[in-house]
Amino acid sequence: MNAANAAPAAVPVSFEFFPPKTPEGIEKLRAVRQQLYALQPQFCSVTYGAGGSTQDGTLQAVQAILDEGQQGASHFTCVGASRDSVRERLALFQSMGVRRLVALRGDLPSGYGSMGEFRYAADLVAFIRAETGDHFHLEVAAYPEMHPQSRSAQADLQAYVAKVQAGANSAITQFFFNADAYFRFVDEARKLGADVPVVPGIMPITNASGLLRFADSCGAEVPRWIRLRLQGLGDDAAGIRAFGLDVVTHLCEQLLAAGAPGLHFYTMNQSTAVLEICRRLGLAGAGTR
Ligand code: FAD
């Protein structure tokens, strides 16, 4: 990767949403999507509740995105699922017109009984390919700072490579604030023969406690200097937003300058920060499809 590859005006962007739980949330998300469509996303994805919760909401939100003329992608977890239930769901996705899935293992909700018939996301990817050929573009998750349950960084890298070998077309990373971890991951994966695009997952910083809680739960590292600055800002919501915009825009600039193939935003169903980051990057309405 090198800076000469950077071409911000042609950077593909994608947006991730979670399924809203209330009628107000559904309406709010509809408005958020309309604002973000101005950036001409490559696709918009909707998360999927492992073990069953919120899956109907996912399907409804993906259908709404498709009905709005955009490429809607569904996340799809296999933990707790059987081959038959996955087969049925794939048929439903096909009948809806879904062409892109984010294939994941997921985490079982506490108290949930069985692991199901799929052990790892690589098993799901292989099964989807065997059942549906090339119908779906398959994304998988990548962890530049290591998945929290992994035995070692090397084992986690091998697990990622296995997903690519099973048939993944591209990957989206867990969010991170350390660009070097991303570049090292991409380089090492390539050396092991996994050379599909790895799109960095970008988390805007809008709320300090929410960010730190989320990072702790998914093993993403918030560098000490960012934690301290956020702590220092206390309840100053405007200060946190301004600091967050500077930090995340700079991260995106570093990533794009060194050849990251796109940006996938964890929108948290909000548009303001994403729009501002893209405006600062010169991506707003830049014809990114
Ligand atoms: P895997 O790739 O199967 O890895 C899980 C763990 O098993 C890792 O520690 C890995 O190193 C290890 N492993 C894999 N294969 C092997 C092997 N052969 N031998 C030994 N160890 C192995 N969760 C949701 O519930 N819903 C969502 O919509 C959702 N969306 C996400 C989107 C993105 C972009 C990301 C990064 C994560 C998302 N998650 C979601 C979270 C994800 O489900 C969890 O991180 C989960 O714990 C792992 O899922 P995975 O697909 O990465 O699993």
Side-chain angles (χ1 to χ4, degrees):
M1 295 201 192
N2 65 60
N5 293 336
V11 174
V13 292
S14 51
F15 303 124
E16 180 170 318
F17 306 110
F18 59 83
K21 292 201 175 105
T22 62
E24 297 75 36
I26 291 172
E27 276 319 301
K28 189 178 157 256
L29 180 56
R30 198 184 302 281
V32 162
R33 285 198 304 266
Q34 291 303 328
Q35 288 163 340
L36 291 173
Y37 289 161
L39 294 163
Q40 298 182 271
Q42 191 180 38
F43 66 92
C44 293
S45 73
V46 185
T47 61
Y48 193 83
S53 67
T54 75
Q55 291 176 0
D56 288 348
T58 300
L59 297 176
Q60 284 159 18
V62 171
Q63 187 65 62
I65 293 166
L66 293 167
D67 291 346
E68 288 159 353
Q70 300 287 325
Q71 174 147 183
S74 185
H75 294 215
F76 188 28
T77 60
C78 60
V79 71
S82 66
R83 283 180 188 76
D84 283 347
S85 69
V86 168
R87 204 175 274 123
E88 263 173 44
R89 198 38 57 109
L90 290 173
L92 180 60
F93 285 136
Q94 284 183 302
S95 71
M96 289 168 64
V98 174
R99 300 302 303 259
R100 189 182 282 253
L101 296 174
V102 184
L104 301 147
R105 186 197 68 179
D107 294 305
L108 273 186
S110 57
Y112 194 95
S114 148
M115 282 295 289
E117 294 179 12
F118 297 85
R119 185 137 189 227
Y120 298 115
D123 305 329
L124 177 65
V125 172
F127 185 78
I128 297 173
R129 281 285 174 250
E131 291 285 316
T132 62
D134 287 335
H135 180 84
F136 295 106
H137 179 111
L138 295 180
E139 306 270 359
V140 289
Y143 301 87
E145 294 174 342
M146 217 173 112
H147 184 266
Q149 294 158 8
S150 189
R151 284 194 313 273
S152 67
Q154 201 51 33
D156 206 33
L157 192 63
Q158 288 293 350
Y160 167 73
V161 172
K163 293 191 275 195
V164 175
Q165 286 169 345
N169 300 100
S170 47
I172 302 170
T173 74
Q174 185 56 274
F175 72 89
F176 58 87
F177 296 104
N178 179 353
D180 286 342
Y182 166 80
F183 291 122
R184 179 170 287 274
F185 178 89
V186 172
D187 286 346
E188 289 182 350
R190 277 197 189 141
K191 281 185 201 143
L192 295 174
D195 63 356
V196 301
V198 181
V199 176
I202 304 296
M203 178 67 83
I205 300 176
T206 54
N207 166 317
S209 56
L211 174 77
L212 298 177
R213 212 174 31 246
F214 193 34
D216 287 344
S217 73
C218 65
E221 189 178 310
V222 180
R224 183 172 172 275
W225 70 272
I226 295 183
R227 281 184 188 261
L228 291 175
R229 289 291 298 270
L230 290 173
Q231 275 168 17
L233 285 162
D235 293 334
D236 176 5
I240 290 171
R241 278 198 299 274
F243 172 69
L245 287 171
D246 286 348
V247 168
V248 176
T249 304
H250 179 64
L251 172 66
C252 294
E253 283 166 353
Q254 283 180 288
L255 293 167
L256 294 176
L263 299 171
H264 178 81
F265 286 94
Y266 294 108
T267 70
M268 308 308 281
N269 291 7
Q270 312 272 341
S271 61
T272 311
V274 175
L275 287 168
E276 177 59 16
I277 293 165
C278 289
R279 190 193 67 74
R280 292 185 185 193
L281 293 170
L283 302 180
T288 50
R289 213 187 294 229

